[in-house]
Amino acid sequence: MVTLVHLQMLSAGLFCIGLYGVLARRNAVLILLSIELMLNAVNVNLVGLAAFLDPEQFLGQIIAIFVITVAAAEVGLAMAIILRLYRSRGTVNVDELNMMKW
């Protein structure tokens, strides 16, 4: 039997893995994937919480669909930026990207 604590532990684990990926990685694509993992952890938590608190309403699922929509738009825009940086700089290593510096 899956309880709310199990879902929250899964969500916390996924979020921590994503946070580690954002903080430790240097490749922009891997950072983007880690952000997506963090958003999916939030979705697991939303759906699990909604299913256990009020199974009659679908508020958690509706909010999760909005999060997925925003995440898809974010991925499209971020991948376009990353591809443009790769074409102009030849790398997606975030340590070597100093475009804003004079």
Side-chain angles (χ1 to χ4, degrees):
M1 172 105 188
V2 177
T3 63
L4 183 59
V5 175
H6 290 110
L7 289 173
Q8 287 181 336
M9 293 286 288
L10 173 67
S11 177
L14 286 174
F15 193 86
C16 288
I17 292 169
L19 185 64
Y20 173 75
V22 168
L23 296 176
R25 299 290 178 195
R26 296 178 187 210
N27 190 342
V29 176
L30 293 178
I31 291 173
L32 182 64
L33 287 174
S34 297
I35 292 171
E36 291 299 317
L37 190 62
M38 291 168 63
L39 289 172
N40 285 329
V42 171
N43 284 338
V44 168
N45 200 11
L46 278 170
V47 171
L49 206 66
F52 277 96
L53 290 181
D54 196 5
E56 304 300 323
Q57 294 181 350
F58 299 109
L59 185 62
Q61 288 87 343
I62 292 170
I63 295 173
I65 289 173
F66 282 121
V67 171
I68 291 169
T69 305
V70 169
E74 176 249 340
V75 165
L77 183 63
M79 285 304 293
I81 292 170
I82 289 170
L83 285 173
R84 182 71 179 157
L85 283 172
Y86 181 73
R87 285 183 185 164
S88 66
R89 299 288 179 149
T91 184
V92 290
N93 191 350
V94 293
D95 290 338
E96 296 176 14
L97 298 176
N98 56 0
M99 205 171 197
M100 299 291 280
K101 291 184 182 177
W102 288 93

PDB file of all heavy atoms in Angstrom, residues 17-53:
ATOM      1  N   ILE A  17      17.943  14.910  -6.171  1.00  0.00           N
ATOM      2  CA  ILE A  17      18.781  14.501  -7.301  1.00  0.00           C
ATOM      3  C   ILE A  17      18.841  15.617  -8.344  1.00  0.00           C
ATOM      4  O   ILE A  17      19.901  15.935  -8.888  1.00  0.00           O
ATOM      5  CB  ILE A  17      18.268  13.185  -7.912  1.00  0.00           C
ATOM      6  CG1 ILE A  17      18.466  12.027  -6.942  1.00  0.00           C
ATOM      7  CG2 ILE A  17      18.966  12.885  -9.232  1.00  0.00           C
ATOM      8  CD1 ILE A  17      17.769  10.759  -7.347  1.00  0.00           C
ATOM      9  N   GLY A  18      17.699  16.239  -8.607  1.00  0.00           N
ATOM     10  CA  GLY A  18      17.667  17.354  -9.549  1.00  0.00           C
ATOM     11  C   GLY A  18      18.455  18.549  -9.045  1.00  0.00           C
ATOM     12  O   GLY A  18      19.166  19.208  -9.817  1.00  0.00           O
ATOM     13  N   LEU A  19      18.349  18.845  -7.758  1.00  0.00           N
ATOM     14  CA  LEU A  19      19.096  19.961  -7.186  1.00  0.00           C
ATOM     15  C   LEU A  19      20.594  19.709  -7.257  1.00  0.00           C
ATOM     16  O   LEU A  19      21.373  20.611  -7.587  1.00  0.00           O
ATOM     17  CB  LEU A  19      18.660  20.195  -5.737  1.00  0.00           C
ATOM     18  CG  LEU A  19      19.254  21.393  -5.027  1.00  0.00           C
ATOM     19  CD1 LEU A  19      18.806  22.676  -5.700  1.00  0.00           C
ATOM     20  CD2 LEU A  19      18.842  21.393  -3.573  1.00  0.00           C
ATOM     21  N   TYR A  20      21.008  18.479  -6.985  1.00  0.00           N
ATOM     22  CA  TYR A  20      22.421  18.136  -7.120  1.00  0.00           C
ATOM     23  C   TYR A  20      22.885  18.309  -8.566  1.00  0.00           C
ATOM     24  O   TYR A  20      23.973  18.810  -8.818  1.00  0.00           O
ATOM     25  CB  TYR A  20      22.667  16.695  -6.662  1.00  0.00           C
ATOM     26  CG  TYR A  20      24.070  16.227  -6.942  1.00  0.00           C
ATOM     27  CD1 TYR A  20      25.131  16.670  -6.170  1.00  0.00           C
ATOM     28  CD2 TYR A  20      24.330  15.362  -7.998  1.00  0.00           C
ATOM     29  CE1 TYR A  20      26.429  16.258  -6.433  1.00  0.00           C
ATOM     30  CE2 TYR A  20      25.619  14.943  -8.276  1.00  0.00           C
ATOM     31  CZ  TYR A  20      26.661  15.393  -7.483  1.00  0.00           C
ATOM     32  OH  TYR A  20      27.943  14.991  -7.758  1.00  0.00           O
ATOM     33  N   GLY A  21      22.044  17.907  -9.507  1.00  0.00           N
ATOM     34  CA  GLY A  21      22.396  18.059 -10.914  1.00  0.00           C
ATOM     35  C   GLY A  21      22.547  19.506 -11.325  1.00  0.00           C
ATOM     36  O   GLY A  21      23.435  19.857 -12.100  1.00  0.00           O
ATOM     37  N   VAL A  22      21.690  20.380 -10.797  1.00  0.00           N
ATOM     38  CA  VAL A  22      21.796  21.806 -11.121  1.00  0.00           C
ATOM     39  C   VAL A  22      23.070  22.395 -10.519  1.00  0.00           C
ATOM     40  O   VAL A  22      23.769  23.186 -11.162  1.00  0.00           O
ATOM     41  CB  VAL A  22      20.549  22.566 -10.620  1.00  0.00           C
ATOM     42  CG1 VAL A  22      20.759  24.066 -10.679  1.00  0.00           C
ATOM     43  CG2 VAL A  22      19.336  22.182 -11.444  1.00  0.00           C
ATOM     44  N   LEU A  23      23.391  22.019  -9.304  1.00  0.00           N
ATOM     45  CA  LEU A  23      24.539  22.613  -8.624  1.00  0.00           C
ATOM     46  C   LEU A  23      25.876  22.026  -9.060  1.00  0.00           C
ATOM     47  O   LEU A  23      26.892  22.720  -9.035  1.00  0.00           O
ATOM     48  CB  LEU A  23      24.382  22.459  -7.108  1.00  0.00           C
ATOM     49  CG  LEU A  23      23.198  23.200  -6.487  1.00  0.00           C
ATOM     50  CD1 LEU A  23      23.103  22.882  -5.008  1.00  0.00           C
ATOM     51  CD2 LEU A  23      23.311  24.691  -6.715  1.00  0.00           C
ATOM     52  N   ALA A  24      25.900  20.774  -9.473  1.00  0.00           N
ATOM     53  CA  ALA A  24      27.173  20.107  -9.743  1.00  0.00           C
ATOM     54  C   ALA A  24      27.550  20.046 -11.218  1.00  0.00           C
ATOM     55  O   ALA A  24      28.727  19.920 -11.544  1.00  0.00           O
ATOM     56  CB  ALA A  24      27.146  18.692  -9.180  1.00  0.00           C
ATOM     57  N   ARG A  25      26.596  20.146 -12.105  1.00  0.00           N
ATOM     58  CA  ARG A  25      26.885  19.970 -13.528  1.00  0.00           C
ATOM     59  C   ARG A  25      27.383  21.260 -14.155  1.00  0.00           C
ATOM     60  O   ARG A  25      27.073  22.348 -13.705  1.00  0.00           O
ATOM     61  CB  ARG A  25      25.636  19.506 -14.279  1.00  0.00           C
ATOM     62  CG  ARG A  25      25.105  18.198 -13.794  1.00  0.00           C
ATOM     63  CD  ARG A  25      26.016  17.085 -14.161  1.00  0.00           C
ATOM     64  NE  ARG A  25      25.499  15.828 -13.645  1.00  0.00           N
ATOM     65  CZ  ARG A  25      26.211  14.755 -13.570  1.00  0.00           C
ATOM     66  NH1 ARG A  25      27.451  14.736 -13.955  1.00  0.00           N
ATOM     67  NH2 ARG A  25      25.685  13.653 -13.097  1.00  0.00           N
ATOM     68  N   ARG A  26      28.143  21.102 -15.210  1.00  0.00           N
ATOM     69  CA  ARG A  26      28.653  22.244 -15.952  1.00  0.00           C
ATOM     70  C   ARG A  26      28.083  22.318 -17.361  1.00  0.00           C
ATOM     71  O   ARG A  26      28.177  23.344 -18.008  1.00  0.00           O
ATOM     72  CB  ARG A  26      30.173  22.183 -16.039  1.00  0.00           C
ATOM     73  CG  ARG A  26      30.801  22.301 -14.686  1.00  0.00           C
ATOM     74  CD  ARG A  26      32.275  22.198 -14.759  1.00  0.00           C
ATOM     75  NE  ARG A  26      32.792  22.157 -13.403  1.00  0.00           N
ATOM     76  CZ  ARG A  26      33.950  22.622 -13.064  1.00  0.00           C
ATOM     77  NH1 ARG A  26      34.730  23.142 -13.967  1.00  0.00           N
ATOM     78  NH2 ARG A  26      34.339  22.555 -11.822  1.00  0.00           N
ATOM     79  N   ASN A  27      27.489  21.248 -17.818  1.00  0.00           N
ATOM     80  CA  ASN A  27      26.891  21.203 -19.143  1.00  0.00           C
ATOM     81  C   ASN A  27      25.483  21.787 -19.067  1.00  0.00           C
ATOM     82  O   ASN A  27      24.673  21.393 -18.226  1.00  0.00           O
ATOM     83  CB  ASN A  27      26.842  19.756 -19.630  1.00  0.00           C
ATOM     84  CG  ASN A  27      26.462  19.641 -21.068  1.00  0.00           C
ATOM     85  OD1 ASN A  27      25.928  20.561 -21.653  1.00  0.00           O
ATOM     86  ND2 ASN A  27      26.736  18.483 -21.643  1.00  0.00           N
ATOM     87  N   ALA A  28      25.163  22.714 -19.946  1.00  0.00           N
ATOM     88  CA  ALA A  28      23.870  23.399 -19.894  1.00  0.00           C
ATOM     89  C   ALA A  28      22.709  22.447 -20.163  1.00  0.00           C
ATOM     90  O   ALA A  28      21.626  22.610 -19.585  1.00  0.00           O
ATOM     91  CB  ALA A  28      23.858  24.545 -20.902  1.00  0.00           C
ATOM     92  N   VAL A  29      22.906  21.457 -20.997  1.00  0.00           N
ATOM     93  CA  VAL A  29      21.840  20.500 -21.292  1.00  0.00           C
ATOM     94  C   VAL A  29      21.544  19.648 -20.055  1.00  0.00           C
ATOM     95  O   VAL A  29      20.376  19.397 -19.721  1.00  0.00           O
ATOM     96  CB  VAL A  29      22.202  19.613 -22.505  1.00  0.00           C
ATOM     97  CG1 VAL A  29      21.147  18.566 -22.761  1.00  0.00           C
ATOM     98  CG2 VAL A  29      22.420  20.474 -23.736  1.00  0.00           C
ATOM     99  N   LEU A  30      22.569  19.220 -19.341  1.00  0.00           N
ATOM    100  CA  LEU A  30      22.356  18.433 -18.128  1.00  0.00           C
ATOM    101  C   LEU A  30      21.723  19.263 -17.022  1.00  0.00           C
ATOM    102  O   LEU A  30      20.922  18.750 -16.230  1.00  0.00           O
ATOM    103  CB  LEU A  30      23.678  17.831 -17.659  1.00  0.00           C
ATOM    104  CG  LEU A  30      24.267  16.774 -18.591  1.00  0.00           C
ATOM    105  CD1 LEU A  30      25.607  16.278 -18.067  1.00  0.00           C
ATOM    106  CD2 LEU A  30      23.311  15.620 -18.761  1.00  0.00           C
ATOM    107  N   ILE A  31      22.045  20.538 -16.964  1.00  0.00           N
ATOM    108  CA  ILE A  31      21.391  21.422 -16.001  1.00  0.00           C
ATOM    109  C   ILE A  31      19.912  21.541 -16.335  1.00  0.00           C
ATOM    110  O   ILE A  31      19.041  21.517 -15.450  1.00  0.00           O
ATOM    111  CB  ILE A  31      22.085  22.801 -15.973  1.00  0.00           C
ATOM    112  CG1 ILE A  31      23.480  22.663 -15.368  1.00  0.00           C
ATOM    113  CG2 ILE A  31      21.261  23.813 -15.194  1.00  0.00           C
ATOM    114  CD1 ILE A  31      24.309  23.925 -15.449  1.00  0.00           C
ATOM    115  N   LEU A  32      19.600  21.653 -17.603  1.00  0.00           N
ATOM    116  CA  LEU A  32      18.210  21.733 -18.038  1.00  0.00           C
ATOM    117  C   LEU A  32      17.451  20.447 -17.688  1.00  0.00           C
ATOM    118  O   LEU A  32      16.313  20.500 -17.217  1.00  0.00           O
ATOM    119  CB  LEU A  32      18.163  21.991 -19.540  1.00  0.00           C
ATOM    120  CG  LEU A  32      16.799  22.156 -20.168  1.00  0.00           C
ATOM    121  CD1 LEU A  32      16.111  23.387 -19.617  1.00  0.00           C
ATOM    122  CD2 LEU A  32      16.939  22.269 -21.671  1.00  0.00           C
ATOM    123  N   LEU A  33      18.072  19.304 -17.890  1.00  0.00           N
ATOM    124  CA  LEU A  33      17.439  18.034 -17.531  1.00  0.00           C
ATOM    125  C   LEU A  33      17.226  17.925 -16.024  1.00  0.00           C
ATOM    126  O   LEU A  33      16.221  17.373 -15.563  1.00  0.00           O
ATOM    127  CB  LEU A  33      18.285  16.867 -18.029  1.00  0.00           C
ATOM    128  CG  LEU A  33      18.272  16.630 -19.534  1.00  0.00           C
ATOM    129  CD1 LEU A  33      19.258  15.539 -19.907  1.00  0.00           C
ATOM    130  CD2 LEU A  33      16.889  16.272 -19.996  1.00  0.00           C
ATOM    131  N   SER A  34      18.148  18.469 -15.244  1.00  0.00           N
ATOM    132  CA  SER A  34      18.000  18.440 -13.794  1.00  0.00           C
ATOM    133  C   SER A  34      16.842  19.331 -13.344  1.00  0.00           C
ATOM    134  O   SER A  34      16.114  18.981 -12.412  1.00  0.00           O
ATOM    135  CB  SER A  34      19.294  18.893 -13.127  1.00  0.00           C
ATOM    136  OG  SER A  34      20.338  18.005 -13.439  1.00  0.00           O
ATOM    137  N   ILE A  35      16.665  20.459 -13.998  1.00  0.00           N
ATOM    138  CA  ILE A  35      15.521  21.319 -13.686  1.00  0.00           C
ATOM    139  C   ILE A  35      14.216  20.601 -14.008  1.00  0.00           C
ATOM    140  O   ILE A  35      13.237  20.685 -13.249  1.00  0.00           O
ATOM    141  CB  ILE A  35      15.634  22.661 -14.442  1.00  0.00           C
ATOM    142  CG1 ILE A  35      16.803  23.466 -13.889  1.00  0.00           C
ATOM    143  CG2 ILE A  35      14.339  23.459 -14.353  1.00  0.00           C
ATOM    144  CD1 ILE A  35      17.132  24.695 -14.689  1.00  0.00           C
ATOM    145  N   GLU A  36      14.201  19.870 -15.107  1.00  0.00           N
ATOM    146  CA  GLU A  36      13.011  19.097 -15.460  1.00  0.00           C
ATOM    147  C   GLU A  36      12.733  18.013 -14.415  1.00  0.00           C
ATOM    148  O   GLU A  36      11.576  17.744 -14.089  1.00  0.00           O
ATOM    149  CB  GLU A  36      13.178  18.462 -16.833  1.00  0.00           C
ATOM    150  CG  GLU A  36      13.172  19.443 -17.968  1.00  0.00           C
ATOM    151  CD  GLU A  36      11.871  20.209 -18.066  1.00  0.00           C
ATOM    152  OE1 GLU A  36      10.793  19.594 -17.934  1.00  0.00           O
ATOM    153  OE2 GLU A  36      11.934  21.432 -18.276  1.00  0.00           O
ATOM    154  N   LEU A  37      13.765  17.402 -13.893  1.00  0.00           N
ATOM    155  CA  LEU A  37      13.594  16.394 -12.847  1.00  0.00           C
ATOM    156  C   LEU A  37      12.992  17.017 -11.590  1.00  0.00           C
ATOM    157  O   LEU A  37      12.125  16.430 -10.944  1.00  0.00           O
ATOM    158  CB  LEU A  37      14.939  15.731 -12.534  1.00  0.00           C
ATOM    159  CG  LEU A  37      14.911  14.501 -11.646  1.00  0.00           C
ATOM    160  CD1 LEU A  37      14.108  13.395 -12.312  1.00  0.00           C
ATOM    161  CD2 LEU A  37      16.320  14.035 -11.370  1.00  0.00           C
ATOM    162  N   MET A  38      13.423  18.233 -11.266  1.00  0.00           N
ATOM    163  CA  MET A  38      12.860  18.934 -10.112  1.00  0.00           C
ATOM    164  C   MET A  38      11.382  19.268 -10.344  1.00  0.00           C
ATOM    165  O   MET A  38      10.566  19.133  -9.413  1.00  0.00           O
ATOM    166  CB  MET A  38      13.663  20.203  -9.841  1.00  0.00           C
ATOM    167  CG  MET A  38      15.065  19.935  -9.340  1.00  0.00           C
ATOM    168  SD  MET A  38      16.129  21.369  -9.348  1.00  0.00           S
ATOM    169  CE  MET A  38      15.313  22.444  -8.204  1.00  0.00           C
ATOM    170  N   LEU A  39      11.032  19.679 -11.545  1.00  0.00           N
ATOM    171  CA  LEU A  39       9.628  19.966 -11.839  1.00  0.00           C
ATOM    172  C   LEU A  39       8.773  18.700 -11.786  1.00  0.00           C
ATOM    173  O   LEU A  39       7.627  18.731 -11.327  1.00  0.00           O
ATOM    174  CB  LEU A  39       9.506  20.634 -13.204  1.00  0.00           C
ATOM    175  CG  LEU A  39      10.010  22.075 -13.284  1.00  0.00           C
ATOM    176  CD1 LEU A  39      10.007  22.556 -14.719  1.00  0.00           C
ATOM    177  CD2 LEU A  39       9.189  22.986 -12.413  1.00  0.00           C
ATOM    178  N   ASN A  40       9.325  17.579 -12.223  1.00  0.00           N
ATOM    179  CA  ASN A  40       8.588  16.316 -12.132  1.00  0.00           C
ATOM    180  C   ASN A  40       8.410  15.873 -10.683  1.00  0.00           C
ATOM    181  O   ASN A  40       7.398  15.265 -10.339  1.00  0.00           O
ATOM    182  CB  ASN A  40       9.276  15.232 -12.944  1.00  0.00           C
ATOM    183  CG  ASN A  40       9.056  15.415 -14.424  1.00  0.00           C
ATOM    184  OD1 ASN A  40       8.021  15.920 -14.837  1.00  0.00           O
ATOM    185  ND2 ASN A  40      10.024  15.020 -15.213  1.00  0.00           N
ATOM    186  N   ALA A  41       9.376  16.187  -9.834  1.00  0.00           N
ATOM    187  CA  ALA A  41       9.225  15.879  -8.409  1.00  0.00           C
ATOM    188  C   ALA A  41       8.074  16.689  -7.815  1.00  0.00           C
ATOM    189  O   ALA A  41       7.296  16.178  -7.000  1.00  0.00           O
ATOM    190  CB  ALA A  41      10.526  16.180  -7.671  1.00  0.00           C
ATOM    191  N   VAL A  42       7.951  17.931  -8.223  1.00  0.00           N
ATOM    192  CA  VAL A  42       6.831  18.754  -7.770  1.00  0.00           C
ATOM    193  C   VAL A  42       5.515  18.178  -8.265  1.00  0.00           C
ATOM    194  O   VAL A  42       4.523  18.143  -7.518  1.00  0.00           O
ATOM    195  CB  VAL A  42       7.028  20.214  -8.242  1.00  0.00           C
ATOM    196  CG1 VAL A  42       5.788  21.033  -7.987  1.00  0.00           C
ATOM    197  CG2 VAL A  42       8.228  20.834  -7.553  1.00  0.00           C
ATOM    198  N   ASN A  43       5.495  17.694  -9.497  1.00  0.00           N
ATOM    199  CA  ASN A  43       4.267  17.087 -10.033  1.00  0.00           C
ATOM    200  C   ASN A  43       3.865  15.835  -9.265  1.00  0.00           C
ATOM    201  O   ASN A  43       2.686  15.622  -8.993  1.00  0.00           O
ATOM    202  CB  ASN A  43       4.438  16.751 -11.511  1.00  0.00           C
ATOM    203  CG  ASN A  43       4.364  17.965 -12.386  1.00  0.00           C
ATOM    204  OD1 ASN A  43       3.811  18.989 -11.999  1.00  0.00           O
ATOM    205  ND2 ASN A  43       4.927  17.868 -13.573  1.00  0.00           N
ATOM    206  N   VAL A  44       4.827  15.005  -8.918  1.00  0.00           N
ATOM    207  CA  VAL A  44       4.526  13.803  -8.126  1.00  0.00           C
ATOM    208  C   VAL A  44       3.925  14.199  -6.791  1.00  0.00           C
ATOM    209  O   VAL A  44       2.937  13.612  -6.325  1.00  0.00           O
ATOM    210  CB  VAL A  44       5.801  12.942  -7.934  1.00  0.00           C
ATOM    211  CG1 VAL A  44       5.584  11.874  -6.883  1.00  0.00           C
ATOM    212  CG2 VAL A  44       6.221  12.316  -9.238  1.00  0.00           C
ATOM    213  N   ASN A  45       4.495  15.220  -6.171  1.00  0.00           N
ATOM    214  CA  ASN A  45       3.990  15.678  -4.885  1.00  0.00           C
ATOM    215  C   ASN A  45       2.582  16.262  -5.016  1.00  0.00           C
ATOM    216  O   ASN A  45       1.716  16.002  -4.178  1.00  0.00           O
ATOM    217  CB  ASN A  45       4.947  16.712  -4.294  1.00  0.00           C
ATOM    218  CG  ASN A  45       4.781  16.867  -2.813  1.00  0.00           C
ATOM    219  OD1 ASN A  45       4.097  16.085  -2.178  1.00  0.00           O
ATOM    220  ND2 ASN A  45       5.400  17.881  -2.261  1.00  0.00           N
ATOM    221  N   LEU A  46       2.334  17.048  -6.051  1.00  0.00           N
ATOM    222  CA  LEU A  46       1.010  17.634  -6.260  1.00  0.00           C
ATOM    223  C   LEU A  46      -0.062  16.564  -6.475  1.00  0.00           C
ATOM    224  O   LEU A  46      -1.129  16.606  -5.849  1.00  0.00           O
ATOM    225  CB  LEU A  46       1.030  18.560  -7.471  1.00  0.00           C
ATOM    226  CG  LEU A  46       1.559  19.968  -7.275  1.00  0.00           C
ATOM    227  CD1 LEU A  46       1.720  20.647  -8.622  1.00  0.00           C
ATOM    228  CD2 LEU A  46       0.640  20.758  -6.394  1.00  0.00           C
ATOM    229  N   VAL A  47       0.215  15.628  -7.337  1.00  0.00           N
ATOM    230  CA  VAL A  47      -0.770  14.599  -7.637  1.00  0.00           C
ATOM    231  C   VAL A  47      -0.989  13.689  -6.431  1.00  0.00           C
ATOM    232  O   VAL A  47      -2.132  13.328  -6.098  1.00  0.00           O
ATOM    233  CB  VAL A  47      -0.342  13.785  -8.881  1.00  0.00           C
ATOM    234  CG1 VAL A  47      -1.232  12.581  -9.095  1.00  0.00           C
ATOM    235  CG2 VAL A  47      -0.348  14.678 -10.100  1.00  0.00           C
ATOM    236  N   GLY A  48       0.071  13.331  -5.742  1.00  0.00           N
ATOM    237  CA  GLY A  48      -0.072  12.492  -4.554  1.00  0.00           C
ATOM    238  C   GLY A  48      -0.840  13.177  -3.446  1.00  0.00           C
ATOM    239  O   GLY A  48      -1.712  12.571  -2.810  1.00  0.00           O
ATOM    240  N   LEU A  49      -0.543  14.428  -3.217  1.00  0.00           N
ATOM    241  CA  LEU A  49      -1.237  15.189  -2.180  1.00  0.00           C
ATOM    242  C   LEU A  49      -2.713  15.346  -2.523  1.00  0.00           C
ATOM    243  O   LEU A  49      -3.584  15.187  -1.654  1.00  0.00           O
ATOM    244  CB  LEU A  49      -0.577  16.555  -2.015  1.00  0.00           C
ATOM    245  CG  LEU A  49      -0.705  17.228  -0.664  1.00  0.00           C
ATOM    246  CD1 LEU A  49       0.032  16.424   0.377  1.00  0.00           C
ATOM    247  CD2 LEU A  49      -0.129  18.623  -0.725  1.00  0.00           C
ATOM    248  N   ALA A  50      -3.010  15.643  -3.769  1.00  0.00           N
ATOM    249  CA  ALA A  50      -4.406  15.800  -4.176  1.00  0.00           C
ATOM    250  C   ALA A  50      -5.168  14.479  -4.093  1.00  0.00           C
ATOM    251  O   ALA A  50      -6.345  14.463  -3.725  1.00  0.00           O
ATOM    252  CB  ALA A  50      -4.475  16.356  -5.590  1.00  0.00           C
ATOM    253  N   ALA A  51      -4.514  13.384  -4.411  1.00  0.00           N
ATOM    254  CA  ALA A  51      -5.180  12.084  -4.370  1.00  0.00           C
ATOM    255  C   ALA A  51      -5.495  11.658  -2.941  1.00  0.00           C
ATOM    256  O   ALA A  51      -6.509  11.007  -2.693  1.00  0.00           O
ATOM    257  CB  ALA A  51      -4.313  11.026  -5.046  1.00  0.00           C
ATOM    258  N   PHE A  52      -4.647  12.042  -1.987  1.00  0.00           N
ATOM    259  CA  PHE A  52      -4.877  11.633  -0.609  1.00  0.00           C
ATOM    260  C   PHE A  52      -5.761  12.613   0.155  1.00  0.00           C
ATOM    261  O   PHE A  52      -6.515  12.205   1.032  1.00  0.00           O
ATOM    262  CB  PHE A  52      -3.549  11.456   0.130  1.00  0.00           C
ATOM    263  CG  PHE A  52      -2.930  10.117  -0.112  1.00  0.00           C
ATOM    264  CD1 PHE A  52      -1.974   9.961  -1.089  1.00  0.00           C
ATOM    265  CD2 PHE A  52      -3.314   9.005   0.610  1.00  0.00           C
ATOM    266  CE1 PHE A  52      -1.399   8.728  -1.342  1.00  0.00           C
ATOM    267  CE2 PHE A  52      -2.750   7.768   0.370  1.00  0.00           C
ATOM    268  CZ  PHE A  52      -1.790   7.624  -0.611  1.00  0.00           C
ATOM    269  N   LEU A  53      -5.708  13.897  -0.169  1.00  0.00           N
ATOM    270  CA  LEU A  53      -6.506  14.870   0.571  1.00  0.00           C
ATOM    271  C   LEU A  53      -7.955  14.894   0.102  1.00  0.00           C
ATOM    272  O   LEU A  53      -8.871  14.885   0.920  1.00  0.00           O
ATOM    273  CB  LEU A  53      -5.891  16.261   0.456  1.00  0.00           C
ATOM    274  CG  LEU A  53      -4.572  16.466   1.191  1.00  0.00           C
ATOM    275  CD1 LEU A  53      -4.083  17.889   1.009  1.00  0.00           C
ATOM    276  CD2 LEU A  53      -4.733  16.153   2.677  1.00  0.00           C
TER     277      LEU A  53
END
